[in-house]
Amino acid sequence: MNDLAPLLTPEGRALLDEVRGTAPADELAVATRLRRDHPAPLVSAALAQARLRQRAVAKFGTEDAHRMFFTPHGVEQSTRASVAAYRAARLTELGVTSVADLCCGIGGDAIALARAGIRVLAVDRDPATAATARANADALGLAGLIEVREADVTEVDTSGHDAVFVDPARRGGRGRIFDPEAYSPPLSWAVAAARTARVAALKIAPGVPHEAVPADAEAEWISDHGDVKEAVLWFGTEPGAVRATLLPGPRALRGAGLPDPPVRPLGRYLYEPDGAVIRAHLVADVAAELDGGLLDATIAYVTADTLRPTPYATAYEITDQLPFNVKKLKALLRERGVGVLTVKKRGSAVEPEELRRKVKPQGPNAATVFLTRVAGAPTMLIGGPAAA
C-alpha cells in the first residue's frame, strides 16, 4: 500500500476500527462482507494495515500499535519502543532539546524523542515512508514536535539541531546487509554527519566488527529482555568507551578493558552472559565480577564455584558433565524422568530440535542441557536454573 490517504479519511478510520483483530482465517469472509458497502481497494488496504498493526504490537504495545500506521518494511526495521525510549532519555540527560532524525522510517524513534519533549526533524527519502511517519506523529498527538520532511538525508542541513540521530537502511533487495559501507547511507557518511553535531547517535547492526568502531565514538550494545536489538555509536559522550545496556532497567555495564578471562575447570555454576555483554566483548568484566573463568577460550560461558546474583548473566547449577554422546544423554534423562528439556548451545553444530528428537524426553521433571566445548572437547553439561 503506497497511499495512506484513503485510510486517513473518516471512512478509512472506521474500517480500521471494524477490522481490528481480524484473524487470518476470517479475512476472506470479512472482506466479502465489507465490500458490499465499501470500495474493494479500501477494504484490502484496511485488512493489510490491520495485519501490520497486529505484528507491530510486539514492538509498540497494543495501544500505540492500533493507532499507528505501518509499511511492511517499517514494521521490520523500526526500533522497539522500549529501546527508543531509553535512547531518548539518554539524549535528554545530555541536554539535547532538538534532534535531526535522519532515515526516520515510520517514525518510531521520532515518537520516543517527542514524548521526551525533544523537537524532531524526521527525514526520509521514501514518499510512502515519510507519509507514514507524518500520519503517526498526527495519530499520537505529536505533530507539534515532529516535522516530517521527504528528502535525501545527505542534502539536509542539520546545523540548527543539538543532536543528530542516523538509522541507515541495513536491508537491500537481497536481504540483510552486513558491510557497514553498503548501508544506505554508508556508515562513513553517517559518522561524518555525526561529527558535525554536539551529540550524535548512529544505530547500527549488533554484529558490527569492533574494528569498524571509530576511535572517537562510544560503542553501546542494547538488549531487551535478553534479546540483542542493536548497537549504537555515540559521539560527544565518552570516546573509546564500550558498554552493554540491558533493558528493562536500564542496567549498564561499562568495559574496564580487562584481559581475556582464564580458562578453568567446570565449577558448580555456569553463567550465560546476556547477548549484549557478549556482543560488546565484556565477558571478561562479568567473569571478574563472578570470580569465574571460561570453560573454553573461544566460548562465552563463564563458570564459577559460588552463586552470585548479577543482572548481566543467567546462572545455572550444573549436575553432570559428559562427553558428547546422545545415547548416554538419553539414558540419563530417562533415568531422571526428564520430559521438559531446554537445549542451549554454543560452539556446537548440533541443532536443539534435532537433539530433542533423538533423546525423546519423557517424564515430569525438567532439565537444561548445554552443548558446548570444555577445553576444546565437545561436551554436554546438564543442570537447571540456579535457585536464588
Side-chain angles (χ1 to χ4, degrees), residues 82-380:
S82 56
V83 178
Y86 158 73
R87 182 164 35 243
R90 189 168 179 198
L91 285 165
T92 300
E93 291 170 1
L94 292 167
V96 170
T97 61
S98 63
V99 172
D101 178 1
L102 307 181
C103 309
C104 69
I106 61 158
D109 278 281
I111 289 165
L113 292 165
R115 283 177 167 167
I118 296 173
R119 181 171 54 85
V120 185
L121 170 63
V123 183
D124 203 285
R125 69 180 179 183
D126 179 69
T129 302
T132 304
R134 192 174 293 111
N136 286 334
D138 183 64
L140 298 179
L142 299 169
L145 283 170
I146 301 174
E147 175 196 346
V148 179
R149 187 180 302 174
E150 180 191 327
D152 186 329
V153 297
T154 64
E155 299 174 358
V156 173
D157 179 11
T158 63
S159 60
H161 296 80
D162 297 338
V164 168
F165 172 65
V166 189
D167 182 5
R170 296 179 299 283
R171 281 186 178 274
R174 297 183 177 180
R176 192 178 300 276
I177 297 171
F178 296 98
D179 177 9
E181 283 307 297
Y183 291 173
S184 180
L187 181 59
S188 57
W189 179 89
V191 168
R195 288 172 174 154
T196 66
R198 178 175 68 83
V199 176
L202 311 183
K203 177 180 170 182
I204 55 176
V208 66
H210 279 233
E211 56 268 24
V213 175
D216 57 337
E218 171 196 341
E220 177 182 37
W221 279 261
I222 303 173
S223 68
D224 186 21
H225 290 88
D227 293 329
V228 183
K229 295 302 176 186
E230 62 185 59
V232 185
L233 301 183
W234 290 89
F235 293 81
T237 54
E238 301 178 72
V242 176
R243 76 169 71 202
T245 298
L246 282 57
L247 302 176
R251 296 182 175 93
L253 177 65
R254 191 180 185 282
L258 300 179
D260 291 340
V263 175
R264 53 152 288 174
L266 176 68
R268 182 176 177 181
Y269 297 99
L270 182 74
Y271 291 86
E272 182 180 26
D274 183 272
V277 170
I278 295 172
R279 292 284 194 175
H281 295 181
L282 299 183
V283 173
D285 298 77
V286 171
E289 177 185 326
L290 300 170
D291 193 22
L294 301 180
L295 292 172
D296 184 277
T298 63
I299 304 295
Y301 282 138
V302 175
T303 187
D305 298 315
T306 56
L307 179 61
R308 298 184 184 180
T310 173
Y312 304 114
T314 303
Y316 296 85
E317 186 170 5
I318 301 301
T319 57
D320 301 88
Q321 176 180 351
L322 303 171
F324 182 81
N325 185 300
V326 175
K327 288 184 178 180
K328 288 184 178 180
L329 177 63
K330 184 175 181 178
L332 184 147
L333 296 177
R334 183 185 300 116
E335 176 187 329
R336 297 184 183 173
V338 172
V340 180
L341 183 65
T342 301
V343 181
K344 293 179 171 287
K345 70 165 196 166
R346 189 158 289 154
S348 171
V350 178
E351 292 300 325
E353 285 305 319
E354 175 189 352
L355 183 68
R356 277 197 202 89
R357 285 195 300 269
K358 289 181 177 179
V359 300
K360 300 176 182 177
Q362 292 181 347
N365 299 320
T368 301
V369 60
F370 293 86
L371 307 178
T372 187
R373 294 194 301 269
V374 174
T379 303
M380 301 182 298

